[in-house]
Every structure is written in structure tokens, then in C-alpha cells.
Amino acid sequence: YRWPYSDTTTLDADSINNLKNAIETVISDIPWSPDQRHPTRTIVFDNEQRYLYLALGSENNTDTDSTFRSQVRRFDLSSTTSLPISFSEGQIWADGVRNAVGIEFDSYGVLWGVEMGADATFRQDLGGDIDLDNPADEVLRMATMGESFGFPYCFSEYKLPQEVGGSGPGTQWAWEHFAEDPDYGDDWCRNVANNVPPVVALEAHSAPLGITFYQYQETWPQDCPAGVAFPKEWDGDAFVTYHGSYFRDVPIEGRVVRIPTNKDNGGMVDGGMDLKPEVLLQDEELPDGQVSGIRPVDVKFDRCGRLLVSSDGSFQGIVGEMLLILEGTTTETTTTTTSSSPSTFTTKTMVLGITTTIIIMTMTVW
């Protein structure tokens, strides 16, 4: 949907009713089922604001095909006289994308996505239940229309024992139900004409939900506080949120990580599958081994070069939605929390000399 928006819009009852009446359907007939595994529909505009890209996840944990699901589709919105546009009329920009909740363009106009791998991974010849460390979650670079990224036929290894054939992060394997299929086996999955591998293989079940790119400016707006922007050396780098796992005996904490890119090579990622993203923010582990608190969802940079991170966890016993503001600074790490009961905490969740402000936004259900 779309509706008129202004930064002067108020949220009084009359304004809300006016917005409801002004809602217009942009994309219609998006596949849906009552038992679907992945209900999110993520959208992003290209840098020219002409095309709208829509990511749609798989219907199940693993599917038998990707028809109308597990795709990123592109819609031309240069003419608004033909709205709504049926989902089936959209161009398939990327196929075989299991569940890319986060999609974003870099400064070179290339679409990227972060994808969550499936649960309950099993292959008898690879050790049976290999779900603890497989499949890898993925960072995808979707540069060319029509490419396929493997699902539901293939998955990316994160860590398998060498004695069963483990070849390292990013190695492509066929799912159990396709492994013996002459049309979709391991060799088929390792042919890039059939299946484009990720540019970065992330830890299994880290649940990446958001991605954004930093664009450094030599001169920031005058009303921006001094020294809050991230460093120039991080220009063009990708920043990804991990929501954190629930499907592991030893959970992966919620995190915000940086993935360096090569500005001299069109924003490509150096280091291949051996790259370990740099952790900027990480939830604290509790004494019982569980994690609680920061569960990052999405990331965006503001006009001052600060990183805004949404989170749907709890913090220090306060339950509510959180907005984390990450600022570049060399001062002592301090986390400021504001809520109905404002408190200040000093934490060790931030590294690399970044200061974090956490705003707790509690919601009342009427």
C-alpha cells in the first residue's frame, strides 16, 4: 500500500482516519496462505526511485519448488496510472531466495540481501542431523536480473566435519530430498550457472534481518552533532543485524556486524567465505547461558552518519521496542536508556569505541 506522508502529519484521530481513507493498493495478489512459514514482505526502491523491489519468502521451511515464492520481484512504478500491479506481472529479479527479510541497494546500484537458512537440516551421508552449524545464513549480492540463488535445491555449508566431506563455509550442497536426484545433486548446486553462492556465509541460525550501507560525507549537515558519524574508512561497508538464534543448543546473541567492502573493486567483499564479520554490538550473555535484551531487527543510517538499529527485545528488565543509536566516538562506552522509568547503564555490549544510546519505547494495548 501507499498513502500520502508529510513530516508535519500528526497522529490525532482525524488525521489517522484521513490516512486510512487515502490508502492505495500498489501491488496486489501477493501469494499468501494461512499456514505459511514466512509472512514478511520486504520492499525497497532502487537509487533512481523508479523500480520497487519486493522480497517474498518461502511458504515452508523447505519447499519442493519456488514458483511465486522465494523470490525478489521488480515492479516499474514510473507510471502510477496503472495501479495496482498484480504480483504475477512483476519481473523476477532473483529466484531461489529462501527468506531475504532484509534487502538494500549499495552506492553502486547493486541489490543485496541477507537470507536466513532453513531449520532441521539433515543429510545422512554428511553426518545425519547437521543442523547445529548448518546451513549457513547468507549475504547475497543480486547484481543481475534472473539469477537463481539455490533454494529449494541447494544450501550453503557453514561447518561440517572434514571426514564427511566438509569443505568450509559457503560450499554448496543439495538438500537431502534432492541429493540423489540426477537433475539437482551436489554438482548441479556447485555450478554457478544454476546457483549463485553467497558472498558471505554467516553462522547458522544467526537470523540476519537487516542490511544497510554507509555513505561517508566530507561535510555533514550543520545541525549534526560533531564527531558522531562513523569513520571515513568504513565508507561503502555493509552493516547487518543478527536477530539471534532460538534453534541452537548454544544460542547466537543478537548482534550488529560490519562487513568491509572494497571501494576499489566496485564494492565487492574481499576475503570470500573466510571473512568473519566485525562485531560492533552484541547482546550480553546471562549466567544461565541464555540471551536476553538486545535483538536487532533493522538498520539505517541517519543524515548525520549515525547508525539507527531497531530491536524487539527487552533490556535490563524493561520490556518494549528499542531504538539503538550507534555513534562513532572514542569516548568511554555508555548506554543511556530512557523509558517510563529513565535509567542509565554502563554496558560492555559495544566495542571499537562506539557509543550507544538506547531508547525504550513501551506500547500500551487498548
Side-chain angles (χ1 to χ4, degrees), residues 271-332:
M273 298 303 170
D274 294 327
L275 174 73
K276 301 298 182 185
E278 185 175 28
V279 178
L280 301 185
L281 172 69
Q282 180 169 297
D283 189 20
E284 292 181 299
E285 184 173 318
L286 301 181
D288 61 2
Q290 298 299 307
V291 291
S292 177
I294 297 169
R295 298 202 71 193
V297 177
D298 204 5
V299 276
K300 288 289 183 291
F301 280 96
D302 72 359
R303 58 196 295 271
C304 298
R306 296 172 293 198
L307 187 63
L308 309 182
V309 183
S310 61
S311 171
D312 60 6
S314 61
F315 184 73
Q316 301 287 351
I318 302 172
V319 179
E321 303 300 310
M322 291 186 286
L323 175 65
L324 294 79
I325 305 173
L326 278 60
E327 300 177 350
T329 178
T330 56
T331 61
E332 179 182 358

Short mmCIF file of all heavy atoms in Angstrom, two decimals, residues 271-332:
data_model
loop_
_atom_site.label_atom_id
_atom_site.label_comp_id
_atom_site.label_asym_id
_atom_site.label_seq_id
_atom_site.Cartn_x
_atom_site.Cartn_y
_atom_site.Cartn_z
N GLY A 271 38.00 -11.38 0.82
CA GLY A 271 38.15 -12.40 1.85
C GLY A 271 37.30 -13.62 1.63
O GLY A 271 37.50 -14.66 2.26
N GLY A 272 36.30 -13.51 0.72
CA GLY A 272 35.48 -14.67 0.39
C GLY A 272 34.78 -15.25 1.60
O GLY A 272 34.41 -14.55 2.54
N MET A 273 34.60 -16.56 1.57
CA MET A 273 33.85 -17.23 2.62
C MET A 273 34.59 -17.29 3.95
O MET A 273 34.02 -17.65 4.97
CB MET A 273 33.48 -18.64 2.17
CG MET A 273 32.60 -18.67 0.94
SD MET A 273 31.06 -17.75 1.16
CE MET A 273 30.46 -17.74 -0.53
N ASP A 274 35.89 -16.96 3.95
CA ASP A 274 36.65 -16.97 5.19
C ASP A 274 36.47 -15.68 5.99
O ASP A 274 36.97 -15.57 7.12
CB ASP A 274 38.14 -17.18 4.90
CG ASP A 274 38.42 -18.56 4.31
OD1 ASP A 274 37.71 -19.51 4.68
OD2 ASP A 274 39.33 -18.67 3.47
N LEU A 275 35.76 -14.72 5.41
CA LEU A 275 35.56 -13.44 6.09
C LEU A 275 34.72 -13.63 7.35
O LEU A 275 33.67 -14.28 7.32
CB LEU A 275 34.86 -12.45 5.16
CG LEU A 275 34.46 -11.12 5.80
CD1 LEU A 275 35.70 -10.27 6.05
CD2 LEU A 275 33.46 -10.38 4.94
N LYS A 276 35.17 -13.07 8.45
CA LYS A 276 34.41 -13.05 9.69
C LYS A 276 33.94 -11.62 9.93
O LYS A 276 34.76 -10.72 10.16
CB LYS A 276 35.27 -13.53 10.86
CG LYS A 276 35.83 -14.94 10.70
CD LYS A 276 34.73 -15.98 10.60
CE LYS A 276 35.31 -17.38 10.50
NZ LYS A 276 34.25 -18.41 10.29
N PRO A 277 32.64 -11.37 9.86
CA PRO A 277 32.15 -10.01 10.08
C PRO A 277 32.61 -9.46 11.43
O PRO A 277 32.75 -10.20 12.41
CB PRO A 277 30.62 -10.18 10.03
CG PRO A 277 30.40 -11.39 9.19
CD PRO A 277 31.54 -12.31 9.53
N GLU A 278 32.84 -8.17 11.45
CA GLU A 278 33.32 -7.50 12.66
C GLU A 278 32.13 -7.12 13.54
O GLU A 278 31.21 -6.43 13.10
CB GLU A 278 34.10 -6.24 12.26
CG GLU A 278 34.75 -5.52 13.40
CD GLU A 278 35.61 -4.37 12.90
OE1 GLU A 278 35.31 -3.80 11.83
OE2 GLU A 278 36.58 -4.03 13.60
N VAL A 279 32.13 -7.57 14.78
CA VAL A 279 31.02 -7.34 15.69
C VAL A 279 31.12 -5.94 16.29
O VAL A 279 32.12 -5.59 16.93
CB VAL A 279 30.98 -8.40 16.80
CG1 VAL A 279 29.83 -8.11 17.78
CG2 VAL A 279 30.84 -9.79 16.21
N LEU A 280 30.07 -5.12 16.10
CA LEU A 280 30.01 -3.79 16.69
C LEU A 280 29.18 -3.76 17.95
O LEU A 280 29.47 -3.03 18.89
CB LEU A 280 29.43 -2.78 15.69
CG LEU A 280 30.14 -2.61 14.35
CD1 LEU A 280 29.49 -1.50 13.56
CD2 LEU A 280 31.61 -2.31 14.56
N LEU A 281 28.12 -4.53 17.95
CA LEU A 281 27.20 -4.57 19.08
C LEU A 281 26.80 -6.02 19.32
O LEU A 281 26.51 -6.74 18.37
CB LEU A 281 25.96 -3.73 18.78
CG LEU A 281 24.80 -3.82 19.78
CD1 LEU A 281 25.19 -3.17 21.09
CD2 LEU A 281 23.55 -3.16 19.21
N GLN A 282 26.80 -6.44 20.57
CA GLN A 282 26.44 -7.82 20.88
C GLN A 282 25.70 -7.87 22.20
O GLN A 282 26.09 -7.24 23.17
CB GLN A 282 27.68 -8.71 20.94
CG GLN A 282 27.39 -10.17 21.24
CD GLN A 282 28.62 -11.02 21.03
OE1 GLN A 282 29.14 -11.12 19.92
NE2 GLN A 282 29.10 -11.65 22.10
N ASP A 283 24.61 -8.62 22.21
CA ASP A 283 23.85 -8.79 23.44
C ASP A 283 24.69 -9.50 24.49
O ASP A 283 25.55 -10.31 24.17
CB ASP A 283 22.59 -9.62 23.12
CG ASP A 283 21.62 -9.67 24.27
OD1 ASP A 283 21.71 -8.80 25.16
OD2 ASP A 283 20.76 -10.57 24.28
N GLU A 284 24.44 -9.15 25.74
CA GLU A 284 25.17 -9.79 26.83
C GLU A 284 24.61 -11.17 27.11
O GLU A 284 23.40 -11.40 27.00
CB GLU A 284 25.09 -8.93 28.08
CG GLU A 284 25.85 -7.63 27.96
CD GLU A 284 25.76 -6.81 29.23
OE1 GLU A 284 24.64 -6.47 29.61
OE2 GLU A 284 26.82 -6.55 29.83
N GLU A 285 25.46 -12.09 27.50
CA GLU A 285 25.04 -13.44 27.86
C GLU A 285 24.76 -13.49 29.35
O GLU A 285 25.55 -13.03 30.17
CB GLU A 285 26.11 -14.46 27.49
CG GLU A 285 25.68 -15.89 27.76
CD GLU A 285 26.70 -16.89 27.22
OE1 GLU A 285 27.19 -16.68 26.09
OE2 GLU A 285 27.00 -17.86 27.93
N LEU A 286 23.63 -14.08 29.70
CA LEU A 286 23.26 -14.20 31.10
C LEU A 286 23.94 -15.41 31.74
O LEU A 286 24.42 -16.31 31.04
CB LEU A 286 21.74 -14.32 31.21
CG LEU A 286 20.95 -13.15 30.62
CD1 LEU A 286 19.47 -13.37 30.79
CD2 LEU A 286 21.37 -11.84 31.26
N PRO A 287 23.99 -15.47 33.06
CA PRO A 287 24.70 -16.56 33.71
C PRO A 287 24.20 -17.96 33.34
O PRO A 287 24.96 -18.91 33.36
CB PRO A 287 24.45 -16.27 35.20
CG PRO A 287 24.26 -14.79 35.27
CD PRO A 287 23.53 -14.44 33.99
N ASP A 288 22.92 -18.09 33.02
CA ASP A 288 22.39 -19.40 32.68
C ASP A 288 22.63 -19.78 31.23
O ASP A 288 22.14 -20.79 30.75
CB ASP A 288 20.90 -19.49 33.00
CG ASP A 288 20.07 -18.48 32.21
OD1 ASP A 288 20.67 -17.74 31.40
OD2 ASP A 288 18.85 -18.44 32.39
N GLY A 289 23.38 -18.95 30.51
CA GLY A 289 23.71 -19.26 29.13
C GLY A 289 22.69 -18.78 28.13
O GLY A 289 22.89 -18.90 26.92
N GLN A 290 21.58 -18.22 28.60
CA GLN A 290 20.57 -17.69 27.69
C GLN A 290 20.91 -16.26 27.33
O GLN A 290 21.80 -15.63 27.92
CB GLN A 290 19.19 -17.77 28.34
CG GLN A 290 18.74 -19.19 28.67
CD GLN A 290 18.65 -20.05 27.43
OE1 GLN A 290 17.99 -19.70 26.47
NE2 GLN A 290 19.32 -21.18 27.46
N VAL A 291 20.22 -15.73 26.34
CA VAL A 291 20.43 -14.34 25.96
C VAL A 291 19.12 -13.59 26.14
O VAL A 291 18.05 -14.13 25.97
CB VAL A 291 20.92 -14.22 24.50
CG1 VAL A 291 22.32 -14.74 24.37
CG2 VAL A 291 19.98 -14.93 23.55
N SER A 292 19.23 -12.34 26.50
CA SER A 292 18.05 -11.52 26.71
C SER A 292 18.45 -10.07 26.49
O SER A 292 19.57 -9.68 26.78
CB SER A 292 17.51 -11.69 28.13
OG SER A 292 16.42 -10.84 28.35
N GLY A 293 17.51 -9.31 25.97
CA GLY A 293 17.80 -7.89 25.82
C GLY A 293 17.80 -7.45 24.39
O GLY A 293 16.77 -7.35 23.75
N ILE A 294 18.98 -7.19 23.85
CA ILE A 294 19.09 -6.60 22.52
C ILE A 294 18.89 -7.67 21.45
O ILE A 294 19.63 -8.64 21.38
CB ILE A 294 20.46 -5.93 22.34
CG1 ILE A 294 20.60 -4.77 23.34
CG2 ILE A 294 20.64 -5.42 20.92
CD1 ILE A 294 21.99 -4.21 23.43
N ARG A 295 17.86 -7.47 20.61
CA ARG A 295 17.60 -8.39 19.49
C ARG A 295 17.40 -7.53 18.24
O ARG A 295 16.28 -7.21 17.84
CB ARG A 295 16.38 -9.26 19.75
CG ARG A 295 16.52 -10.18 20.95
CD ARG A 295 15.58 -11.35 20.86
NE ARG A 295 16.01 -12.29 19.83
CZ ARG A 295 15.23 -13.27 19.36
NH1 ARG A 295 14.01 -13.42 19.82
NH2 ARG A 295 15.69 -14.09 18.43
N PRO A 296 18.50 -7.12 17.60
CA PRO A 296 18.41 -6.19 16.48
C PRO A 296 17.55 -6.72 15.33
O PRO A 296 17.58 -7.91 15.00
CB PRO A 296 19.86 -6.02 16.05
CG PRO A 296 20.64 -6.33 17.29
CD PRO A 296 19.88 -7.42 17.96
N VAL A 297 16.79 -5.83 14.72
CA VAL A 297 15.91 -6.18 13.61
C VAL A 297 16.37 -5.51 12.32
O VAL A 297 16.68 -6.17 11.35
CB VAL A 297 14.45 -5.79 13.93
CG1 VAL A 297 13.54 -6.08 12.74
CG2 VAL A 297 13.95 -6.55 15.17
N ASP A 298 16.42 -4.18 12.30
CA ASP A 298 16.80 -3.50 11.06
C ASP A 298 17.78 -2.38 11.37
O ASP A 298 17.95 -1.97 12.53
CB ASP A 298 15.56 -2.93 10.36
CG ASP A 298 15.77 -2.73 8.87
OD1 ASP A 298 16.85 -3.10 8.36
OD2 ASP A 298 14.86 -2.20 8.19
N VAL A 299 18.45 -1.90 10.31
CA VAL A 299 19.47 -0.86 10.44
C VAL A 299 19.32 0.17 9.33
O VAL A 299 19.03 -0.19 8.18
CB VAL A 299 20.89 -1.45 10.38
CG1 VAL A 299 21.35 -1.97 11.71
CG2 VAL A 299 21.00 -2.51 9.31
N LYS A 300 19.52 1.43 9.68
CA LYS A 300 19.55 2.52 8.69
C LYS A 300 20.44 3.62 9.23
O LYS A 300 20.49 3.88 10.44
CB LYS A 300 18.14 3.09 8.43
CG LYS A 300 17.22 2.19 7.64
CD LYS A 300 17.65 2.09 6.18
CE LYS A 300 16.70 1.25 5.36
NZ LYS A 300 16.74 -0.19 5.70
N PHE A 301 21.17 4.30 8.34
CA PHE A 301 21.96 5.46 8.74
C PHE A 301 21.10 6.71 8.65
O PHE A 301 20.29 6.87 7.72
CB PHE A 301 23.19 5.61 7.84
CG PHE A 301 24.31 4.70 8.22
CD1 PHE A 301 24.48 3.48 7.58
CD2 PHE A 301 25.18 5.03 9.25
CE1 PHE A 301 25.50 2.62 7.93
CE2 PHE A 301 26.21 4.18 9.61
CZ PHE A 301 26.37 2.97 8.95
N ASP A 302 21.28 7.61 9.62
CA ASP A 302 20.57 8.89 9.54
C ASP A 302 21.43 9.90 8.80
O ASP A 302 22.54 9.59 8.34
CB ASP A 302 20.16 9.37 10.94
CG ASP A 302 21.33 9.87 11.79
OD1 ASP A 302 22.49 9.84 11.32
OD2 ASP A 302 21.09 10.28 12.94
N ARG A 303 20.95 11.11 8.66
CA ARG A 303 21.61 12.13 7.87
C ARG A 303 22.90 12.63 8.50
O ARG A 303 23.66 13.38 7.87
CB ARG A 303 20.66 13.31 7.64
CG ARG A 303 20.15 13.94 8.92
CD ARG A 303 18.93 14.83 8.69
NE ARG A 303 19.26 15.97 7.88
CZ ARG A 303 19.68 17.12 8.39
NH1 ARG A 303 19.86 17.24 9.71
NH2 ARG A 303 19.94 18.14 7.62
N CYS A 304 23.17 12.21 9.75
CA CYS A 304 24.39 12.63 10.45
C CYS A 304 25.44 11.53 10.49
O CYS A 304 26.48 11.69 11.14
CB CYS A 304 24.05 13.08 11.86
SG CYS A 304 22.94 14.51 11.94
N GLY A 305 25.17 10.39 9.81
CA GLY A 305 26.13 9.30 9.81
C GLY A 305 26.08 8.41 11.02
O GLY A 305 27.01 7.65 11.28
N ARG A 306 24.98 8.50 11.79
CA ARG A 306 24.77 7.61 12.92
C ARG A 306 23.96 6.41 12.46
O ARG A 306 23.09 6.53 11.60
CB ARG A 306 24.04 8.33 14.05
CG ARG A 306 24.82 9.49 14.65
CD ARG A 306 24.00 10.30 15.63
NE ARG A 306 22.91 11.01 14.97
CZ ARG A 306 22.26 12.05 15.51
NH1 ARG A 306 22.60 12.49 16.70
NH2 ARG A 306 21.28 12.63 14.85
N LEU A 307 24.22 5.27 13.07
CA LEU A 307 23.51 4.04 12.71
C LEU A 307 22.34 3.84 13.65
O LEU A 307 22.50 3.74 14.86
CB LEU A 307 24.45 2.84 12.78
CG LEU A 307 23.87 1.51 12.27
CD1 LEU A 307 23.55 1.60 10.78
CD2 LEU A 307 24.86 0.36 12.51
N LEU A 308 21.14 3.77 13.07
CA LEU A 308 19.92 3.53 13.85
C LEU A 308 19.58 2.04 13.77
O LEU A 308 19.51 1.48 12.68
CB LEU A 308 18.76 4.36 13.31
CG LEU A 308 19.03 5.86 13.12
CD1 LEU A 308 17.77 6.56 12.62
CD2 LEU A 308 19.51 6.50 14.42
N VAL A 309 19.37 1.43 14.91
CA VAL A 309 19.10 -0.01 14.97
C VAL A 309 17.81 -0.23 15.74
O VAL A 309 17.68 0.19 16.89
CB VAL A 309 20.25 -0.77 15.69
CG1 VAL A 309 19.98 -2.27 15.68
CG2 VAL A 309 21.59 -0.44 15.06
N SER A 310 16.84 -0.88 15.10
CA SER A 310 15.62 -1.24 15.82
C SER A 310 15.81 -2.60 16.46
O SER A 310 16.54 -3.46 15.96
CB SER A 310 14.41 -1.25 14.88
OG SER A 310 14.59 -2.21 13.84
N SER A 311 15.15 -2.80 17.59
CA SER A 311 15.27 -4.06 18.33
C SER A 311 13.94 -4.36 18.98
O SER A 311 13.24 -3.45 19.45
CB SER A 311 16.37 -3.95 19.39
OG SER A 311 16.37 -5.07 20.24
N ASP A 312 13.58 -5.65 19.04
CA ASP A 312 12.30 -6.01 19.65
C ASP A 312 12.49 -6.88 20.89
O ASP A 312 11.65 -7.70 21.23
CB ASP A 312 11.39 -6.71 18.64
CG ASP A 312 11.98 -7.99 18.08
OD1 ASP A 312 13.05 -8.41 18.56
OD2 ASP A 312 11.36 -8.58 17.17
N GLY A 313 13.60 -6.68 21.56
CA GLY A 313 13.86 -7.45 22.77
C GLY A 313 13.51 -6.65 24.02
O GLY A 313 12.69 -5.74 24.01
N SER A 314 14.14 -7.01 25.13
CA SER A 314 14.00 -6.29 26.39
C SER A 314 15.39 -5.91 26.86
O SER A 314 16.39 -6.44 26.39
CB SER A 314 13.29 -7.16 27.43
OG SER A 314 14.06 -8.33 27.68
N PHE A 315 15.46 -4.97 27.78
CA PHE A 315 16.79 -4.53 28.23
C PHE A 315 16.73 -4.24 29.72
O PHE A 315 15.90 -3.45 30.19
CB PHE A 315 17.21 -3.28 27.46
CG PHE A 315 18.61 -2.81 27.80
CD1 PHE A 315 19.71 -3.53 27.35
CD2 PHE A 315 18.82 -1.69 28.57
CE1 PHE A 315 21.00 -3.11 27.66
CE2 PHE A 315 20.10 -1.27 28.88
CZ PHE A 315 21.19 -1.99 28.42
N GLN A 316 17.63 -4.88 30.48
CA GLN A 316 17.74 -4.66 31.92
C GLN A 316 16.37 -4.78 32.60
O GLN A 316 16.02 -4.01 33.50
CB GLN A 316 18.34 -3.27 32.21
CG GLN A 316 19.71 -3.06 31.62
CD GLN A 316 20.79 -3.84 32.36
OE1 GLN A 316 20.53 -4.40 33.41
NE2 GLN A 316 21.98 -3.90 31.81
N GLY A 317 15.56 -5.74 32.15
CA GLY A 317 14.26 -5.97 32.76
C GLY A 317 13.15 -5.08 32.22
O GLY A 317 11.99 -5.23 32.60
N ILE A 318 13.49 -4.14 31.33
CA ILE A 318 12.47 -3.27 30.74
C ILE A 318 12.04 -3.87 29.41
O ILE A 318 12.87 -4.11 28.52
CB ILE A 318 13.04 -1.84 30.51
CG1 ILE A 318 13.53 -1.26 31.83
CG2 ILE A 318 11.98 -0.94 29.89
CD1 ILE A 318 14.27 0.06 31.67
N VAL A 319 10.75 -4.11 29.27
CA VAL A 319 10.23 -4.73 28.06
C VAL A 319 9.65 -3.66 27.15
O VAL A 319 8.87 -2.82 27.58
CB VAL A 319 9.16 -5.78 28.38
CG1 VAL A 319 8.61 -6.39 27.11
CG2 VAL A 319 9.75 -6.86 29.28
N GLY A 320 10.02 -3.68 25.89
CA GLY A 320 9.49 -2.72 24.93
C GLY A 320 10.30 -2.72 23.66
O GLY A 320 11.30 -3.42 23.54
N GLU A 321 9.85 -1.96 22.67
CA GLU A 321 10.61 -1.82 21.44
C GLU A 321 11.77 -0.86 21.71
O GLU A 321 11.64 0.10 22.46
CB GLU A 321 9.72 -1.28 20.33
CG GLU A 321 8.50 -2.14 20.06
CD GLU A 321 8.87 -3.55 19.64
OE1 GLU A 321 9.69 -3.69 18.73
OE2 GLU A 321 8.34 -4.49 20.25
N MET A 322 12.91 -1.10 21.07
CA MET A 322 14.08 -0.28 21.31
C MET A 322 14.59 0.34 20.02
O MET A 322 14.50 -0.26 18.95
CB MET A 322 15.22 -1.11 21.92
CG MET A 322 14.97 -1.58 23.32
SD MET A 322 16.43 -2.39 24.02
CE MET A 322 16.38 -3.94 23.13
N LEU A 323 15.09 1.54 20.11
CA LEU A 323 15.83 2.19 19.04
C LEU A 323 17.23 2.44 19.56
O LEU A 323 17.42 3.17 20.54
CB LEU A 323 15.17 3.50 18.62
CG LEU A 323 15.95 4.32 17.59
CD1 LEU A 323 16.02 3.55 16.26
CD2 LEU A 323 15.32 5.68 17.39
N LEU A 324 18.22 1.81 18.93
CA LEU A 324 19.60 1.97 19.34
C LEU A 324 20.27 2.94 18.38
O LEU A 324 20.18 2.78 17.17
CB LEU A 324 20.34 0.63 19.33
CG LEU A 324 19.90 -0.44 20.34
CD1 LEU A 324 18.65 -1.14 19.88
CD2 LEU A 324 21.01 -1.43 20.54
N ILE A 325 20.94 3.93 18.91
CA ILE A 325 21.65 4.92 18.10
C ILE A 325 23.14 4.72 18.30
O ILE A 325 23.67 4.95 19.39
CB ILE A 325 21.24 6.36 18.47
CG1 ILE A 325 19.72 6.52 18.37
CG2 ILE A 325 21.94 7.36 17.56
CD1 ILE A 325 19.21 7.86 18.88
N LEU A 326 23.82 4.25 17.26
CA LEU A 326 25.25 3.98 17.35
C LEU A 326 26.01 5.16 16.76
O LEU A 326 25.79 5.54 15.61
CB LEU A 326 25.61 2.70 16.59
CG LEU A 326 25.38 1.36 17.33
CD1 LEU A 326 23.93 1.19 17.69
CD2 LEU A 326 25.87 0.22 16.48
N GLU A 327 26.89 5.75 17.56
CA GLU A 327 27.65 6.92 17.14
C GLU A 327 29.13 6.59 17.13
O GLU A 327 29.63 5.87 17.99
CB GLU A 327 27.39 8.10 18.08
CG GLU A 327 25.92 8.52 18.15
CD GLU A 327 25.70 9.64 19.14
OE1 GLU A 327 26.64 9.95 19.91
OE2 GLU A 327 24.61 10.22 19.14
N GLY A 328 29.84 7.16 16.18
CA GLY A 328 31.28 6.99 16.12
C GLY A 328 31.97 7.93 17.08
O GLY A 328 31.83 9.15 16.97
N THR A 329 32.69 7.39 18.06
CA THR A 329 33.35 8.21 19.05
C THR A 329 34.45 7.39 19.71
O THR A 329 34.45 6.18 19.62
CB THR A 329 32.37 8.72 20.13
OG1 THR A 329 33.09 9.48 21.09
CG2 THR A 329 31.68 7.57 20.83
N THR A 330 35.36 8.05 20.36
CA THR A 330 36.42 7.35 21.09
C THR A 330 36.24 7.51 22.59
O THR A 330 37.14 7.22 23.37
CB THR A 330 37.80 7.90 20.69
OG1 THR A 330 37.82 9.32 20.92
CG2 THR A 330 38.07 7.64 19.23
N THR A 331 35.05 7.98 23.02
CA THR A 331 34.80 8.17 24.43
C THR A 331 34.45 6.84 25.09
O THR A 331 34.25 5.83 24.43
CB THR A 331 33.66 9.16 24.65
OG1 THR A 331 32.46 8.64 24.05
CG2 THR A 331 33.97 10.50 24.03
N GLU A 332 34.35 6.85 26.43
CA GLU A 332 34.01 5.64 27.16
C GLU A 332 32.63 5.14 26.73
O GLU A 332 31.71 5.93 26.54
CB GLU A 332 34.01 5.93 28.66
CG GLU A 332 33.64 4.71 29.52
CD GLU A 332 33.60 5.07 30.99
OE1 GLU A 332 33.90 6.23 31.31
OE2 GLU A 332 33.26 4.18 31.79
#
